[in-house]
Amino acid sequence: MKQSTSNKKVAVVGAGLVGSLEACYLAKRGYDVHLYEYRDDIRNMEHVPGRSINLAMSIRGRTGLKAVGVEEKIIREHGIPMYARMIHNRDGSTKAIPYNKDGKVGVRGSKRFVPPTPFLPSQGPYIDLVPNPKNNQRHLRAVRSAIYSVGRRFVNDWVLLTRAEEFPMSPFHFHHKLLTADLERGKMTFLDTMSQDEVTVDADLMIGCDGAYSNMRKQMMKRPMFNYRQQYIPHGYMELCIPPGSDGNFQMPPNYLHIWPRGQYMMIALPNQDKSWTVTLFMPFGIFNSLDTPEVLLDFFKTNYPDAITLIGREKLIHDFFANKALPMISVKCSPYHVGSTSLLMGDAAHAMVPFYGQGMNCGMEDCVFLKEIMDKYESDERRCCPRTPSTGTQTRRRSWTSPCTTTSRLVGWCVSIVVSVMRDLVNS
Ligand code: FAD
């Protein structure tokens, strides 16, 4: 029997990329949604510390956005398509590796259609709209594989939070830091960081979208039969910037994800709307630490990324490198993702991964799609979505419920091994 959702309260903890999207999904389904966020409303903040500026969004993220009607705005109006990787060699030469298997553009259903790799029919059509030269209309079934560079802030603040406000939903609770949660009873305690008061909240369903260092997950870790693993890799990352050229335009061809693969380390650059590039340097901390003077830094760049010195600018490179510090990268795995039918983890809280996979946000948004599919299947009956086992009080692991991460890790592992082998070949050649 279809369950009524309107009298059910859901507390979503964390108004990041996944929490704000999930809030939209649940509000659309008719739940009484309350979104709790530790920070201030980031729409009021000038600078959001410790966050990447742009992200690579794939079809998985786009599918998540589509269901709440924001894909068009984010991708068509503000996304910059990247149809290929542009590999920068040490000698300054470049080579494009398209995301399509052979770089062709095809039309679905015709003989010219070339399925992109990986092509997962179960995830819906892998389509990308490109103008039809015959009639200049956009609604084509043309296929050309691309991932999109999107601004994190634009997606999170200016689209998802604003979109969430358009659904009938309680006002957002900013400055609310989750302290503890009684996972089975649906009770949570927050610290109101403005008044310093503790606030107790009841909910029928609590969803932890509170990121890689999730407090909701910490509550689950106190329980028996909860598995958890975290790993810091020896590499750190630092964001630098290639500014627009003197003519105000992109200094490099914009429709590529630029990569400087160098074996143990690499640099990547994604285009921004303002014609600048966000450059991310991934290296072992030992190398970051060894670059301790401007001369050593410049020597390192001359050897490894000579073309980047001109693009970033010598002085800017020195200034930005020493004004920043390299940040760590963590990956997190845990299981199960839920306790009873009352609490659930999504996004980085459930499965944080290193950023150079370019998949964390995409997987998190896909979580929202999977949860929707499960709720559709079980007609919004949370107890059937995650049935309880008599012995542990947690749910049996329904295949469909656990599939996002299992599929994700397999897919990511597969993609990464392909990228790594291509890069290894390039580096060796
Ligand atoms: P978050 O975005 O971390 O949001 C968590 C929210 O919870 C935050 O707003 C936080 O303030 C709030 N919160 C935390 N604790 C509490 C608490 N106790 N109480 C209340 N609120 C709390 N992914 C991609 O798909 N493509 C990319 O190209 C990509 N590039 C990346 C580059 C970098 C440098 C990094 C670091 C990550 C990148 N990622 C990328 C990964 C992506 O950023 C994350 O996977 C994504 O942000 C996860 O979203 P989330 O909502 O689960 O968590």
Side-chain angles (χ1 to χ4, degrees):
M1 192 183 71
K2 191 168 169 30
Q3 301 286 304
S4 162
T5 51
S6 59
N7 54 356
K8 286 191 185 160
K9 178 174 168 183
V10 183
V12 178
V13 183
L17 293 165
V18 177
S20 47
L21 179 61
E22 185 53 31
C24 294
Y25 269 80
L26 294 169
K28 195 175 172 203
R29 192 171 276 275
Y31 283 101
D32 174 20
V33 182
H34 291 249
L35 187 58
Y36 294 89
E37 168 58 47
Y38 177 27
R39 295 173 303 186
D40 188 7
D41 184 340
I42 40 180
R43 287 169 295 184
N44 303 331
M45 291 163 73
E46 228 167 81
H47 175 63
V48 185
R51 316 230 123 203
S52 64
I53 294 159
N54 57 19
L55 302 141
M57 180 172 285
S58 70
I59 188 69
R60 306 165 72 200
R62 288 171 58 188
T63 307
L65 297 173
K66 201 171 187 169
V68 294
V70 293
E71 190 221 3
E72 181 77 11
K73 184 169 180 64
I74 291 174
I75 296 301
R76 307 275 164 244
E77 292 179 22
H78 284 85
I80 302 176
M82 299 182 291
Y83 295 108
R85 290 145 285 210
M86 181 69 86
I87 304 296
H88 292 241
N89 298 314
R90 275 202 175 87
D91 62 6
S93 61
T94 53
K95 181 187 174 185
I97 306 177
Y99 285 111
N100 280 42
K101 208 169 166 188
D102 56 6
K104 282 185 193 159
V105 177
V107 177
R108 201 171 170 76
S110 83
K111 282 185 184 157
R112 287 180 55 225
F113 173 62
V114 182
T117 320
F119 181 64
L120 301 177
S122 61
Q123 294 189 358
Y126 201 116
I127 56 172
D128 205 350
L129 305 176
V130 292
N132 181 347
K134 284 187 193 149
N135 58 17
N136 210 24
Q137 286 188 357
R138 290 172 66 221
H139 281 273
L140 293 176
R141 291 182 300 151
V143 175
R144 188 178 179 190
S145 304
I147 53 173
Y148 286 78
S149 177
V150 293
R152 177 189 289 271
R153 185 160 186 160
F154 176 72
V155 177
N156 194 168
D157 325 352
W158 295 325
V159 179
L160 289 179
L161 283 176
T162 304
R163 176 69 178 137
E165 273 177 342
E166 288 165 15
F167 290 103
M169 199 183 303
S170 301
F172 300 150
H173 309 274
F174 291 106
H175 305 286
H176 276 64
K177 181 182 183 185
L178 178 71
L179 297 179
T180 58
D182 184 334
L183 300 173
E184 292 214 19
R185 290 198 182 83
K187 283 194 187 307
M188 318 173 95
T189 308
F190 289 91
L191 175 70
D192 179 335
T193 56
M194 298 297 271
S195 65
Q196 295 300 314
D197 290 337
E198 284 194 6
V199 183
T200 306
V201 166
D202 287 313
D204 297 293
L205 176 62
M206 309 182 295
I207 305 189
C209 301
D210 47 346
Y213 301 93
S214 165
N215 195 2
M216 180 79 115
R217 189 183 62 228
K218 283 184 195 138
Q219 310 301 313
M220 292 193 182
M221 285 165 67
K222 295 174 189 165
R223 301 175 60 85
M225 308 303 286
F226 186 84
N227 295 307
Y228 171 72
R229 198 181 81 184
Q230 75 168 51
Q231 190 184 8
Y232 282 103
I233 61 167
H235 293 60
Y237 75 93
M238 182 188 284
E239 288 193 339
L240 301 168
C241 172
I242 296 176
S246 51
D247 59 355
N249 227 323
F250 283 114
Q251 291 200 61
M252 298 189 289
N255 295 116
Y256 298 90
L257 196 164
H258 289 257
I259 306 178
W260 290 256
R262 298 294 181 261
Q264 283 298 298
Y265 40 91
M266 71 165 171
M267 196 166 80
I268 63 168
L270 272 74
N272 292 316
Q273 283 285 322
D274 68 357
K275 318 276 191 223
S276 68
W277 295 82
T278 300
V279 178
T280 314
L281 196 52
F282 296 100
M283 295 196 295
F285 277 105
I287 299 185
F288 271 115
N289 295 338
S290 70
L291 306 179
D292 52 359
T293 66
E295 293 72 33
V296 180
L297 173 70
L298 285 176
D299 276 351
F300 178 81
F301 264 73
K302 272 180 205 154
T303 309
N304 291 292
Y305 312 118
D307 51 346
I309 302 180
T310 330
L311 292 166
I312 299 175
R314 197 171 170 279
E315 297 310 316
K316 186 170 168 54
L317 170 62
I318 295 170
H319 173 272
D320 291 358
F321 186 88
F322 290 106
N324 272 303
K325 76 173 190 193
L327 298 170
M329 290 183 273
I330 192 171
S331 73
V332 168
K333 287 183 178 168
C334 68
S335 72
Y337 300 138
H338 46 281
V339 169
S341 51
T342 40
S343 43
L344 174 65
L345 298 175
M346 293 175 76
D348 274 14
H351 44 68
M353 61 195 76
V354 288
F356 48 78
Y357 286 180
Q359 292 292 346
M361 165 193 65
N362 289 303
C363 291
M365 291 182 167
E366 196 176 58
D367 289 353
C368 302
V369 177
F370 272 88
L371 182 56
K372 176 190 174 300
E373 284 175 2
I374 293 168
M375 286 191 157
D376 286 348
K377 182 171 175 188
Y378 295 110
E379 300 182 321
S380 303
D381 181 348
E382 300 86 17
R383 282 166 306 175
R384 289 171 71 216
C385 290
C386 27
R388 189 177 288 265
T389 57
S391 56
T392 62
T394 58
Q395 291 73 25
T396 48
R397 300 181 66 186
R398 273 195 196 279
R399 211 179 124 67
S400 53
W401 186 257
T402 52
S403 57
C405 210
T406 339
T407 311
T408 295
S409 12
R410 279 200 205 114
L411 181 65
V412 166
W414 186 43
C415 295
V416 168
S417 61
I418 291 170
V419 171
V420 168
S421 67
V422 168
M423 283 185 182
R424 194 179 299 129
D425 291 345
L426 285 164
V427 171
N428 291 340
S429 65

